[in-house]
Amino acid sequence: MASFLKIVIANPEATLCEDCKQVQREKAKKWLINAGKVVGTIAVAAGAAYLAARETSDDEGTSYIPFDGEDDDGGALEMKCANCGNTDERFLWDEGDTIYCSKCCHRTSKETGEDDLVECPYCHRMRDRKEMYCRRCNDSAWIESTQNEFEETDKILKDMGC
């Protein structure tokens, strides 16, 4: 009959010593870390699956920009990256005023058909007009550099081969 009796403890934490509470906290931390890794892995896998499905889907809503010239089959080119020459529509994204190539990470201006580049005011290298920051000097402020800053940055970038 004693096995059917339930003892209700108002505060189960009150029955544990400090060492046991610490062990319990460490176990909870490990469990949360493992759960976070599992959730993160699932999120990455789901994102990769989404991108793979997006790249392989035959999306009829994509608008293609005509370019002069012919492709390998003799037909007119629809979209083309000005940087790498990519014409594979799975890697070209229409952004309205530009076409983004996910193979070489460059944008082509629809208006000119050339790379959509502007001069970085900080390091004076050419950079993508829509980039949040310059890939070479890491500037995101679009503020012109002083002569001393430019000379220092220029020397570092030239030493790196940029």
Side-chain angles (χ1 to χ4, degrees), residues 31-41:
W31 185 88
L32 286 172
I33 289 170
N34 289 336
K37 287 179 183 177
V38 169
V39 170
T41 303

Side-chain angles (χ1 to χ4, degrees), residues 5 11 18 22 24 30 55 64 72 81 89 95-96 100 113-114 121 124-126 137 140 152-153 155:
L5 293 176
N11 183 1
E18 285 302 316
Q22 185 61 30
Q24 199 173 38
K30 287 180 184 176
E55 283 184 3
Y64 298 103
D72 296 337
C81 175
E89 63 189 53
E95 295 182 327
Y100 178 74
E114 297 175 2
H124 302 285
R125 268 66 173 180
M126 297 306 285
C137 69
S140 62
E152 184 179 346
T153 304
K155 181 183 181 318

Side-chain angles (χ1 to χ4, degrees), residues 46-106:
Y50 169 76
L51 290 176
R54 185 174 163 195
E55 283 184 3
T56 58
S57 70
D58 293 324
D59 187 11
E60 295 295 325
T62 306
S63 61
Y64 298 103
I65 311 306
F67 280 88
D68 293 333
E70 295 181 353
D71 63 8
D72 296 337
D73 301 328
L77 290 176
E78 293 177 339
M79 279 200 301
K80 181 179 180 181
C81 175
N83 183 59
C84 70
N86 175 29
T87 58
D88 188 346
E89 63 189 53
R90 295 177 301 154
F91 301 102
L92 296 170
W93 308 99
D94 186 356
E95 295 182 327
D97 59 341
T98 59
I99 297 168
Y100 178 74
C101 177
S102 57
K103 279 190 175 180
C104 68
C105 301
H106 278 253

